[in-house]
Amino acid sequence: MQSLRFISAVALVSHPPGAQRSLDAVAHNLYPLLFKASYLLEQSAVIRLLLQHWPLEEFRLGPLLGPSADHAGDLRDRACRACLEACMHGLADHVLQGGGCRRLRVVDLTGIQDVQVQRCPCGRALGRWGRTELLARTCCELQEQPCTTRRPVEVLADVFVTAGNFEAVARALGPAGPGPLRVRCLSLRADSLDPGRLLHVLRLAGPRELRRLEVVHNVRLHAGHVQQLLAQGGFPRLVSLTLPAKAFDAPPASTPAPDGEEPLLASIAWALSRMTQLTELHVAFSTLTGKLQTLLGPLRTPLRVLDVGNCALNHEDMTFLANCIHAAHLEVLDLSGHCLVDLFPATFHRLLGQAAPTLRALTLEECGLEDRHVGALSLALGTCRRLRELRFLGNPLSGRALRRLFTALCELPRLRCVEFPVPRDCYPEGSAYPQDELAMSKFDQQKYDAIAADLRAVLLRAGRDDIQVSTPLFGSFDPDIQETSNELGAFLLQAFKTALENFSRVLKQME
């Protein structure tokens, strides 16, 4: 629904020359309306002009594009390259004006949602990495201009740094001299960096400001690095922390502690316990066998989101998890890579029972779930009445077992999304699990389509057409990986080359 004011705004920005002539006569409180109308129509020239002459003290991108009384549409999932570049160019024009024309104090560029299919007219997205690079490049260019202002504009941003944009980001976050923009990093994602560069950019970003920290994929950390990282500034506002695979492994040159003690892990847990706002922890693919209580026990704030997928948890870990304070507060839980129903049936059932009042998303990928486990799994899930999302890809379940499970899932009133595996029937007999990507993609498509149609019919007969079901073979869409795939590939090739060189050197030494 659109108000008459918004319809009028659309009419005005549809003709950029007319909008430019009329802008001086427009009331200041109408600028947000004109901005959303311009973004909707992808009028980049008008967007740049609006930012250049922005008369208000704040410009907050997320609220400006969100639903409003004048326009109910939500444009926050439009990471439109043309519009976002126009915003940045307009901001640069604004700060270069100087003098009394400039009222803008805060620019908040957060709130954009990266999605797989862009709805903007051009269809060209500018992802988080691209937005970071654009902001950093703009800051660097403005630092070279004569500074005409006593007060820089604060720019709040979600920063994504890799080896490809590290130099520009480091310069933008820690300028050598005064500049008209001061970047405040609210969230930081780091990939394809060595530990030294990660620690450097983290110091520049300011740990005391960060709400979210994601260190992922090709940042090779061990427990010593993690301890050093968390020692910087205490992270008093950090809400979410993601660490890469093997982040809790002992440093290569360290000697084993006596009596199985884990001084580094205990030190990391102590640092985490000081983060009183931390409610999300992602530590997938880190070996935590028998160590979960050491890591999570000291935390003062209950976790709402926990990812311990493929962490080689044992019975002691699962028992702790099912009985700890976090269980009753969990909203999102990932236990992928553990044979839960086979090895820990009672503990798994208790854990879901404890989490049931709050749990809304559960991931059980490659958990060795077979047909004989469906009854126990259905019983455990039956308590999760608030569950909205369930993902269990990579499990060797037959079409018949999936039909039984879907019948049980129909009883969960809030369930809206299910990601299920390609049925075992669709693969050659004797196929091994877990599967590699090549084996996973070689299945009988016709048989899959028939079983999938049957599963959707189960939902329809139960009146549950509100549940969306799918089988994303290689996992859900990740916009950050999609955007930096070329750089990630180059990084992996270089790492492979280095490993071969080291191997060759060792062979020569042996000769």
Side-chain angles (χ1 to χ4, degrees):
M1 183 176 177
Q2 301 179 8
S3 69
L4 184 58
R5 291 199 325 159
F6 191 81
I7 294 171
S8 301
V10 167
L12 178 60
V13 303
S14 297
H15 302 87
Q20 183 172 2
R21 290 193 300 270
S22 307
L23 204 55
D24 289 339
V26 172
H28 291 178
N29 65 343
L30 293 179
Y31 270 67
L33 200 66
L34 292 174
F35 176 80
K36 187 173 185 181
S38 302
Y39 203 98
L40 177 67
L41 300 182
E42 206 176 282
Q43 292 287 358
S44 55
V46 180
I47 289 173
R48 180 170 183 170
L49 194 65
L50 288 169
L51 264 293
Q52 180 183 351
H53 298 283
W54 196 259
L56 308 174
E57 292 190 352
E58 294 186 354
F59 174 87
R60 298 189 181 273
L61 189 57
L64 285 170
L65 297 179
S68 66
D70 290 296
H71 183 260
D74 191 345
L75 307 183
R76 288 173 293 186
D77 62 352
R78 296 193 183 190
C80 175
R81 176 179 291 271
C83 294
L84 293 170
E85 287 179 345
C87 287
M88 195 54 59
H89 295 321
L91 176 60
D93 296 339
H94 183 93
V95 298
L96 289 174
Q97 289 178 137
C101 301
R102 222 196 70 187
R103 296 190 61 191
L104 195 55
R105 291 176 178 270
V106 178
V107 173
D108 186 348
L109 298 178
T110 65
I112 292 291
Q113 301 164 8
D114 295 301
V115 295
Q116 189 166 6
V117 179
Q118 286 296 312
R119 295 189 295 122
C120 57
C122 72
R124 296 171 62 237
L126 189 66
R128 179 160 44 159
W129 189 92
R131 298 194 294 271
T132 298
E133 204 232 356
L134 176 61
L135 172 60
R137 192 172 67 245
T138 302
C139 288
C140 293
E141 291 170 355
L142 291 173
Q143 288 167 18
E144 298 171 359
Q145 301 291 329
C147 189
T148 60
T149 178
R150 295 170 295 177
R151 171 181 52 80
V153 175
E154 284 194 344
V155 182
L156 312 183
D158 296 324
V159 173
F160 183 6
V161 59
T162 64
N165 65 359
F166 171 80
E167 298 295 341
V169 170
R171 187 177 165 192
L173 290 175
L181 300 180
R182 184 171 78 86
V183 178
R184 285 180 54 199
C185 181
L186 299 188
S187 76
L188 175 65
R189 179 182 174 96
D191 195 358
S192 304
L193 286 180
D194 62 62
R197 282 187 160 189
L198 169 65
L199 293 171
H200 179 64
V201 79
L202 191 56
R203 281 193 293 269
L204 294 176
R208 302 190 69 83
E209 296 277 353
L210 281 178
R211 270 66 159 181
R212 307 181 71 87
L213 175 60
E214 299 173 75
V215 187
V216 297
H217 307 303
N218 288 295
V219 181
R220 309 294 172 81
L221 299 183
H222 54 62
H225 294 135
V226 175
Q227 182 192 41
Q228 189 179 355
L229 181 151
L230 298 182
Q232 297 193 45
F235 299 93
R237 298 185 180 184
L238 197 69
V239 172
S240 176
L241 174 64
T242 300
L243 294 174
K246 302 182 179 180
F248 300 116
D249 286 6
S254 65
T255 55
D259 302 323
E261 293 180 1
E262 296 281 349
L264 272 179
L265 189 63
S267 176
I268 291 168
W270 180 82
L272 293 176
S273 72
R274 298 175 62 206
M275 302 176 192
T276 56
Q277 296 191 33
L278 185 70
T279 57
E280 301 180 15
L281 186 61
H282 305 261
V283 291
F285 293 95
S286 288
T287 304
L288 288 172
T289 310
K291 303 174 184 177
L292 200 61
Q293 184 169 3
T294 303
L295 180 66
L296 302 186
L299 299 189
R300 302 177 188 177
T301 307
L303 293 174
R304 294 188 298 103
V305 177
L306 179 62
D307 181 356
V308 286
N310 297 281
C311 287
L313 302 183
N314 62 14
H315 189 271
E316 179 186 343
D317 299 313
M318 288 298 298
T319 300
F320 165 75
L321 189 56
N323 294 283
C324 70
I325 186 175
H326 308 292
H329 296 82
L330 288 172
E331 297 177 17
V332 180
L333 177 61
D334 190 336
L335 292 169
S336 297
H338 298 98
C339 296
L340 301 164
V341 182
D342 225 5
L343 298 181
F344 324 110
T347 311
F348 175 60
H349 191 283
R350 175 171 173 75
L351 173 59
L352 291 195
Q354 291 288 92
T358 55
L359 192 64
R360 54 181 176 80
L362 178 63
T363 303
L364 303 173
E365 297 181 359
E366 295 186 350
C367 284
L369 297 172
E370 301 178 5
D371 291 13
R372 60 192 175 91
H373 299 136
V374 167
L377 179 61
S378 301
L379 191 63
L381 290 172
T383 61
C384 302
R385 309 291 289 176
R386 292 179 176 268
L387 194 67
R388 295 185 62 87
E389 301 173 16
L390 176 63
R391 297 175 174 86
F392 56 106
L393 300 169
N395 288 289
L397 294 165
S398 68
R400 179 178 296 180
L402 285 170
R403 195 177 304 114
R404 286 172 53 208
L405 182 56
F406 269 55
T407 301
L409 295 180
C410 291
E411 301 301 318
L412 302 181
R414 299 194 181 184
L415 192 64
R416 294 294 180 272
C417 171
V418 174
E419 292 183 2
F420 68 97
V422 174
R424 192 187 64 216
D425 326 43
C426 302
Y427 289 105
E429 190 173 349
S431 295
Y433 284 81
Q435 301 166 304
D436 58 30
E437 290 191 3
L438 181 61
M440 192 185 303
S441 60
K442 292 183 175 180
F443 62 93
D444 188 324
Q445 183 69 49
Q446 286 187 329
K447 188 175 287 188
Y448 168 81
D449 290 340
I451 294 175
D454 184 40
L455 295 177
R456 290 187 175 90
V458 169
L459 298 177
L460 286 174
R461 285 194 296 270
R464 295 305 308 272
D465 55 337
D466 55 340
I467 300 177
Q468 301 296 315
V469 297
S470 62
T471 305
L473 272 185
F474 306 113
S476 302
F477 173 72
D478 187 323
D480 295 315
I481 292 179
Q482 184 79 13
E483 187 181 17
T484 57
S485 57
N486 290 337
E487 183 179 348
L488 182 60
F491 186 93
L492 290 173
L493 285 174
Q494 182 59 46
F496 183 61
K497 179 183 176 183
T498 303
L500 286 178
E501 289 172 351
N502 292 339
F503 182 64
S504 176
R505 191 180 306 115
V506 171
L507 286 179
K508 289 178 179 178
Q509 291 172 353
M510 291 175 65
E511 291 173 358

